[in-house]
């Protein structure tokens, strides 16, 4: 079996490295590049080059959420959306078996099996995504409207796609998630319709090249003790080591309480809860069950969320 599969727009998603390359970028990527220390800063700045439909970025979530939750007071995050899928028109790759959207489902299933992070690939069979540009433009709009909500919006978009199998390029899906965040739809829609959000996204496409990213995910960590660039999905320990090496921060223990983990993650996969708590998947699933967490199925994996107060009172 081939260890790499093309992304819908012609880039390749490699199962070993966990890198989805940007279209037209064929050069090999190093595992990590370290540079001399940068300016002193109170926090470590993490520039995350990503795309809302990037499966390798979804597989990074356990490590990413563990780091950003445990060290959240020491980290500032800047997202850059690099444009993984412009569209399907004219694309076919006979050699790698992808001619049309439904062919992507198998590759997502391979990523899920290899990583243990559940993926619901049904969207490619039932309501395929034509382009990752609409959700990227929506994210740019939220950034302009309420930058403090961008992180949460990106996570919810990914949950709808990778866990619920919904087409996140649809305007109605995106507007429903905007409303869920507590933001007003009218100013969001205006930013999308008048081209302001698209212009912001197009600046991100330029920034992607400026920072030297050639694939997703790319993480650029800049702290008081240095700068390091990481490519592809990686485990919680590797990401934490990289952060500690540039931040000078003292290592923190995993979240000990399952109730605190539920407060921090809310909806999360078994692998995400395991990464945050430092427990095995088997143990953390038992703890979540004992805590009364609600269990959902996604692909071949498990997803957990705290029961709502309405459910508890019923």
């Amino acid at each position: 079996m081939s260890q790499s599969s093309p992304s819908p727009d012609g880039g390749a998603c490699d199962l070993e490295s966990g890198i989805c390359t940007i279209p037209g970028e064929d050069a090999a990527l190093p595992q990590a590049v370290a540079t001399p220390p940068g300016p002193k800063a109170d926090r470590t700045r993490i520039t995350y080059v990503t795309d809302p439909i990037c499966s390798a970025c979804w597989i990074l979530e356990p490590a990413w959420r563990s780091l950003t939750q445990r060290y959240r007071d020491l980290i500032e995050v800047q997202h850059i959306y690099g444009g993984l899928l412009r569209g399907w028109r004219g694309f076919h790759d006979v050699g790698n078996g992808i001619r049309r959207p439904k062919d992507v489902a198998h590759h997502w299933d391979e990523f899920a099996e290899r990583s243990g992070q559940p993926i619901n690939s049904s969207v490619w069979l039932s309501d395929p995504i034509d382009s990752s540009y609409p959700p990227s433009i929506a994210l740019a709009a939220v950034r302009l409207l309420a930058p403090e909500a961008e992180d949460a919006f990106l996570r919810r978009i990914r949950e709808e796609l990778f866990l619920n199998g919904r087409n996140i390029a649809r305007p109605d899906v995106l507007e429903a998630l905007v409303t869920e965040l507590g933001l007003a739809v009218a100013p969001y829609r205006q930013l999308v319709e008048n081209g302001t959000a698209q212009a912001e996204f197009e600046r991100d496409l330029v920034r992607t090249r400026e920072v030297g990213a050639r694939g997703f995910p790319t993480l650029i960590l800049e702290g008081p003790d240095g700068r390091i660039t990481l490519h592809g999905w990686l485990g919680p320990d590797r990401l934490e080591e990289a952060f500690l090496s540039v931040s000078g921060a003292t290592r923190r223990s995993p979240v000990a309480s399952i109730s605190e983990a539920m407060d921090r993650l809310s909806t999360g996969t078994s692998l995400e809860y395991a990464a945050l708590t430092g427990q095995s998947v088997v143990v953390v699933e038992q703890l979540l069950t004992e805590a009364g967490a609600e269990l959902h199925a996604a692909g071949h994996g498990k997803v957990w969320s705290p029961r709502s107060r309405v459910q508890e009172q019923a």
Side-chain angles (χ1 to χ4, degrees):
M1 180 183 294
S2 171
Q3 293 303 306
S4 64
S5 59
S7 65
D9 50 2
C13 290
D14 184 75
L15 288 171
E16 295 298 330
S17 65
I19 298 170
C20 291
T21 57
I22 294 171
E25 300 288 349
D26 299 323
L29 287 167
Q31 290 302 307
V33 178
T35 59
K40 295 291 183 180
D42 293 331
R43 294 189 177 191
T44 293
R45 299 182 298 274
I46 303 181
T47 301
Y48 186 0
V49 187
T50 186
D51 185 275
I53 73 165
C54 168
S55 54
C57 301
W58 174 249
I59 291 168
L60 180 66
E61 284 288 276
W64 176 249
R65 298 187 86 190
S66 176
L67 181 77
T68 55
Q69 285 297 323
R70 290 165 57 211
Y71 298 95
R72 56 189 175 185
D73 57 316
L74 303 178
I75 293 173
E76 294 179 354
V77 177
Q78 176 192 25
H79 289 98
I80 298 178
Y81 306 109
L84 180 59
L85 174 60
R86 180 185 293 275
W88 284 91
R89 184 178 179 180
F91 173 75
H92 67 278
D93 192 318
V94 177
N96 287 290
I98 290 186
R99 292 175 175 268
R100 48 198 171 182
K102 73 176 186 178
D103 297 327
V104 179
H106 171 67
H107 298 291
W108 276 23
D109 291 342
E110 283 185 316
F111 266 60
E113 182 179 0
R114 178 68 63 89
S115 68
Q117 177 78 333
I119 297 178
N120 181 344
S121 61
S122 64
V123 67
W124 297 110
L125 305 176
S126 62
D127 188 14
I129 298 167
D130 291 328
S131 171
S132 69
Y133 281 34
S136 298
I137 292 169
L139 282 155
V142 169
R143 175 194 296 164
L144 295 170
L145 186 63
E148 71 283 356
E150 184 182 359
D151 251 352
F153 190 53
L154 176 58
R155 173 64 190 189
R156 282 295 294 119
I157 281 178
R158 285 183 165 146
E159 289 175 356
E160 287 301 291
L161 174 60
F162 291 105
L163 298 181
N164 300 329
R166 298 188 71 191
N167 185 340
I168 58 169
R170 292 193 174 278
D172 60 324
V173 172
L174 293 167
E175 289 190 358
L177 295 176
V178 168
T179 301
E180 182 184 304
L181 284 179
L183 302 179
V185 170
Y188 160 83
R189 186 180 296 155
Q190 183 178 15
L191 288 171
V192 171
E193 292 179 350
N194 67 15
T196 303
Q198 180 172 335
E200 175 68 11
F201 168 55
E202 289 173 353
R203 283 190 285 271
D204 271 16
L205 297 179
V206 174
R207 293 181 190 122
T208 298
R209 271 65 184 182
E210 288 178 343
V211 301
R214 299 194 299 275
F216 312 113
T218 292
L219 298 172
I220 304 169
L221 291 74
E222 302 173 276
D225 289 354
R227 181 180 188 272
I228 188 168
T229 300
L230 302 170
H231 305 280
W233 86 60
L234 58 161
D237 291 343
R238 177 69 183 95
L239 182 56
E240 184 179 17
E241 288 297 334
F243 167 74
L244 293 175
S245 73
V246 301
S247 67
T250 301
R251 186 185 304 275
R252 294 178 178 177
S253 300
V255 173
S257 164
I258 196 65
S259 61
E260 181 183 352
M262 291 167 68
D263 288 340
R264 293 200 182 196
L265 293 186
S266 188
T267 298
T269 67
S270 295
L271 212 58
E272 290 168 355
Y273 271 103
L276 183 61
T277 61
Q279 302 283 357
S280 69
V281 167
V282 172
V283 170
V284 85
E285 288 181 347
Q286 180 179 348
L287 293 173
L288 286 163
T289 300
E290 292 172 354
E294 187 174 0
L295 172 61
H296 313 270
H300 298 292
K302 297 177 180 178
V303 183
W304 307 82
S305 58
R307 293 188 181 275
S308 67
R309 293 179 180 177
V310 173
Q311 289 174 315
E312 291 172 353
Q313 293 170 358

